[in-house]
Amino acid sequence: MAFGVAGYFALRAEPSTWFVAAAPILLAMALMLAPRHAHAAWVVGLAAAAALGFASALLHARAAPPPLSPPTRAVMLSGIVQDVDLLPEGRRVTLGEARFGPDEAPQPRTIRLRLRASDPARPAPGDRISVRALVRPPSAPAYPGAWDFQRAAFFAGQGGSGFAIGPAELLPGAGEAPPLAATRSLMEARVDAALPGAAGAVAAALLTGGQSAIPREDLVAMRDSGLAHLLSVSGLHIAIVMGVCFWVVRLLIAGIRPIAVRTDGKVAAGLAALAAGGFYMLLTGSQVPMQRSFAMATLVTLALLAGRNAISMRGLALAAAAVMLVDPAALLGPSFQMSFAAVMALIAGWESLRGPLRRLAGDGSWWRRALVAAAGLVLTSLLAGAATAPIGLAHFGRLQWYGVIANAIAVPLTSVLVMPAGMVAAVAMPLGLEAPALAVMGWGVEGVLAVAREVASWPGAATGARPLPGWGLVAFMSGLTWLCLWARRWRLLGVPLMLLGMASGALHRPPDLLVSGDARLIAVAAQDRLWLQRQPGASAFLRDQWLRAHGLAQADALPASGEEAGGAIRCDAAACLLRPHADGAVALLLRRPAEASPCGRAALLVAAEPIRLRCPDTVAIDRFSVWRDGPHAAWLGPEGVRVVSDRAWRGARPWVPPPPRPRVREEMPPAPVE
């Protein structure tokens, strides 16, 4: 199924809806072949699963509303508040039924809007808001092949984002909000009032799933220490919620004799735990890790009630299939990949290490049990970290080296203190008695933050590295899956694939030259450094993305004149001659209109302004090129120049905006003759 979903997104043109018919046809063929030709049925069944994944992605794309084209000027934006995110400064609202003016029709997609930090308005889900704002569509990828923000927004139902340039006017309770949105907003406000600062923001994130209020420095510390997964509510959190609920309900039933003799406490506690897990998933916004975790938890609970094996690869596969059917685009994101890879590695690791751990337990004495618990904690961090580190490298270009140490302290603290106290606080909130429980939760969160800050401050705690390319990530995931699924010796055939995937960053050659979509930022890579020409208004976010693509921490400015990078860069006031490789092609970066013809001087011409003079047999990237086709990347090798635009990379897909049309000025009618 995953290969089918990935195959749909890898296309450069939208396929016909008739491809949906392939899945049932192949499934019928597999069923017919099964009685007599088991191996053939197995192969056809795999093809049917891939066709099902392809069809799921195709149907979701066809059902999604078209992207929006917000006005380029400031408008009076109005809509129904669907969600409210607390920020370190101010608030951000998600609007449904958004209108770009009082006489405009409501839009089918949501708009995310950041209110002014000084705005006294306190919107709540269900309120109608009206504010003067600037709205922009989702941004294009930072470079060809980078993360596609427009695709992610297309499948998430988002139409754009913006910021308010005036005060907001509210009409309370004028519309409907998603289920539990008001509850989530109220809980965040109560937690923020009881625990101001970073501890309250993290506590609110654990209870409601919103991370927007966490200060940036603490987010960086959690990321660099390997504890960022604690902020993304997922398997650990739902396991704690459902586990605590299960044992509390079972204890209550066992303590009341008339109920205990008439009720199966295990079944009742299991159903109560499922209800608590489902409520927690909805409360936190039904994010992908929570969908996977709740699907797995449901299967585990049903297996326990039926006396079957609770945790298995089959259960994980069913959970993955369910998520891909509900949200196929989630497959491309790090959340899905890291979540399933970690659980798959843990299940396979437990199957392999169950015998040694039992021998370590020995006679069951207390010190042996403590030793097994410590070994299990370390092995859990090692297995999950080894499975997810290459995925994090592929998406974020960073490696955390001390994650095992940080998790060995922070995970037990979260499991024993933070989440149980948070559950008590959530139950006590309707009575207004949450303050003591939130105080205890705050102590635990402060401990987790202290661990994150300390570990992140260690030398080399997080280092940048060149990200894995897409094919390298596919190779690693295929090898990991092969290694984890099989129980016989041929499982080791997955190891070479994993090694190839992890080495793909060194085998992959990033672009030698990059031009942003507005041509305000131009970069050339030479001598393991990145050199930038940056104009006023250039995006710092794009710069960081380009640095991450090359595995670098900082960039250098192109010189005003002189040579750099061992002569690979030669600049004067008019132009820069760029030759990143000694045996490669040459590019000419024009800084101002050329006084003499640039033809014949280089195989590639680059300029932030339109290039008026076109040269035969010379490729040009200028302001018009990026305006039409988005960011450009170029490789300058011995074989010549290869240029790829974002439009050529992504093709004609529903989430890719059509090529812009030049504006044509209307001719003025002739003046009347008297």
Side-chain angles (χ1 to χ4, degrees):
M1 279 191 69
F3 273 108
V5 173
Y8 168 80
F9 287 110
L11 296 177
R12 297 293 183 264
E14 196 66 10
S16 170
T17 312
W18 286 104
F19 281 95
V20 174
I25 292 174
L26 289 171
L27 180 60
M29 291 174 58
L31 293 175
M32 289 188 293
L33 290 170
R36 297 184 179 181
H37 306 283
H39 291 85
W42 188 77
V43 173
V44 176
L46 287 178
L52 179 61
F54 189 95
S56 174
L58 175 58
L59 291 177
H60 275 78
R62 292 298 172 90
L68 303 185
S69 297
T72 57
R73 65 185 188 282
V75 295
M76 201 65 188
L77 179 68
S78 63
I80 304 298
V81 177
Q82 305 293 295
D83 202 2
V84 180
D85 296 321
L86 298 178
L87 304 175
E89 294 183 0
R91 283 168 168 76
R92 182 177 60 206
V93 296
T94 301
L95 302 182
E97 302 179 21
R99 299 173 185 265
F100 299 125
D103 300 326
E104 298 292 331
Q107 301 296 328
R109 291 180 168 272
T110 60
I111 300 293
R112 299 181 72 181
L113 186 72
R114 179 170 182 157
L115 302 180
R116 297 193 302 179
S118 59
D119 198 327
R122 294 295 179 264
D127 295 347
R128 176 173 289 280
I129 191 173
S130 180
V131 61
R132 189 164 182 79
L134 281 169
V135 181
R136 295 291 179 262
S139 59
Y143 55 89
W147 175 255
D148 195 338
F149 300 98
Q150 291 174 337
R151 180 189 62 210
F154 178 83
F155 285 94
Q158 297 174 5
S161 60
F163 57 91
I165 57 176
E169 299 178 5
L170 297 180
L171 182 61
E176 295 184 0
L180 299 181
T183 304
R184 182 163 54 248
S185 180
L186 180 60
M187 289 182 66
E188 288 180 346
R190 299 281 283 273
V191 173
D192 182 64
L195 297 173
V202 173
L206 296 177
L207 292 177
T208 65
Q211 304 178 21
S212 56
I214 302 176
R216 175 173 174 76
E217 57 272 17
D218 291 304
L219 278 175
V220 171
M222 294 289 286
R223 180 198 66 190
D224 290 348
S225 62
L227 297 179
H229 66 96
L230 294 180
L231 300 177
S232 176
V233 287
S234 57
L236 172 67
H237 308 81
I238 200 169
I240 296 171
V241 169
M242 294 183 64
V244 170
C245 180
F246 180 90
W247 291 111
V248 167
V249 172
R250 195 167 187 186
L251 181 63
L252 290 175
I253 292 176
I256 304 175
R257 181 176 177 83
I259 299 178
V261 297
R262 294 176 175 84
T263 305
D264 189 333
K266 189 176 181 181
V267 173
L271 295 177
L274 276 180
F279 178 83
Y280 186 48
M281 179 184 69
L282 295 175
L283 180 66
T284 55
S286 299
Q287 302 171 15
V288 172
M290 285 297 289
Q291 294 177 18
R292 187 270 308 163
S293 302
F294 183 67
M296 281 288 293
T298 301
L299 292 171
V300 168
T301 304
L302 295 177
L304 285 173
L305 298 181
R308 301 288 297 274
N309 186 17
I311 301 176
S312 67
M313 287 292 183
R314 183 175 290 107
L316 181 65
L318 291 173
V323 173
M324 283 188 283
L325 285 174
V326 173
D327 186 10
L331 172 74
L332 305 179
S335 178
F336 180 101
Q337 296 167 11
M338 299 178 83
S339 179
F340 280 97
V343 176
M344 182 169 61
L346 290 174
I347 293 175
W350 167 248
E351 291 175 351
S352 299
L353 298 172
R354 182 164 34 189
L357 287 175
R358 284 178 177 173
R359 290 192 294 271
L360 182 63
D363 57 0
S365 56
W366 69 266
W367 66 270
R368 282 186 172 272
R369 291 200 302 269
L371 191 61
V372 169
L377 187 63
V378 173
L379 289 172
T380 296
S381 296
L382 286 175
L383 287 170
T388 57
I391 302 172
L393 181 60
H395 288 280
F396 308 117
R398 295 184 70 82
L399 291 171
Q400 295 83 27
W401 297 105
Y402 306 124
V404 173
I405 300 174
N407 279 278
I409 303 173
V411 170
L413 190 59
T414 303
S415 304
V416 175
L417 183 62
V418 175
M419 288 303 296
M423 290 182 61
V424 174
V427 173
M429 274 187 187
L431 304 176
L433 303 176
E434 73 276 5
L438 283 179
V440 175
M441 187 182 187
W443 299 337
V445 171
E446 289 287 4
V448 172
L449 287 174
V451 172
R453 293 163 184 158
E454 174 62 26
V455 173
S457 68
W458 293 352
T463 56
R466 187 175 294 179
L468 305 185
W471 66 266
L473 181 59
V474 171
F476 173 80
M477 291 298 295
S478 300
L480 178 66
T481 304
W482 185 273
L483 178 68
C484 292
L485 286 184
W486 297 108
R488 300 190 179 185
R489 289 186 179 273
W490 60 60
R491 72 189 305 174
L492 298 178
L493 294 175
V495 175
L497 265 180
M498 295 173 63
L499 295 177
L500 174 63
M502 295 189 320
S504 62
L507 302 175
H508 172 71
R509 178 181 164 191
D512 297 315
L513 191 141
L514 290 165
V515 184
S516 67
D518 56 7
R520 292 178 177 175
L521 199 62
I522 300 175
V524 59
Q527 299 290 316
D528 295 326
R529 297 167 71 180
L530 197 68
W531 307 82
L532 297 178
Q533 174 178 287
R534 186 175 185 181
Q535 294 184 346
S539 170
F541 175 78
L542 286 183
R543 178 203 60 201
D544 295 342
Q545 293 293 307
W546 291 3
L547 286 170
R548 184 176 298 169
H550 289 81
L552 300 173
Q554 60 183 6
D556 301 285
L558 282 173
S561 62
E563 295 185 1
E564 291 287 357
I569 299 174
R570 299 178 182 180
C571 294
D572 57 31
C576 284
L577 197 65
L578 311 173
R579 192 170 190 173
H581 308 283
D583 57 347
V586 177
L588 186 65
L589 172 58
L590 302 176
R591 290 178 158 179
R592 67 186 186 190
E595 298 177 359
S597 172
C599 299
R601 298 181 59 189
L604 173 65
L605 296 180
V606 183
E609 302 298 330
I611 298 177
R612 304 299 180 183
L613 178 62
R614 297 288 175 167
C615 304
D617 301 326
T618 301
V619 183
I621 305 174
D622 64 355
R623 181 69 183 88
F624 283 149
S625 303
V626 296
W627 174 71
R628 287 190 304 266
D629 299 323
H632 279 57
W635 288 260
L636 306 170
E639 67 284 354
V641 177
R642 182 168 70 94
V643 175
V644 177
S645 70
D646 175 66
R647 187 172 302 282
W649 182 276
R650 294 194 290 167
R653 306 308 301 272
W655 52 88
V656 179
R661 296 180 179 180
R663 296 178 181 177
V664 179
R665 293 185 178 180
E666 298 182 359
E667 295 184 2
M668 296 295 292
V673 179
E674 295 183 358

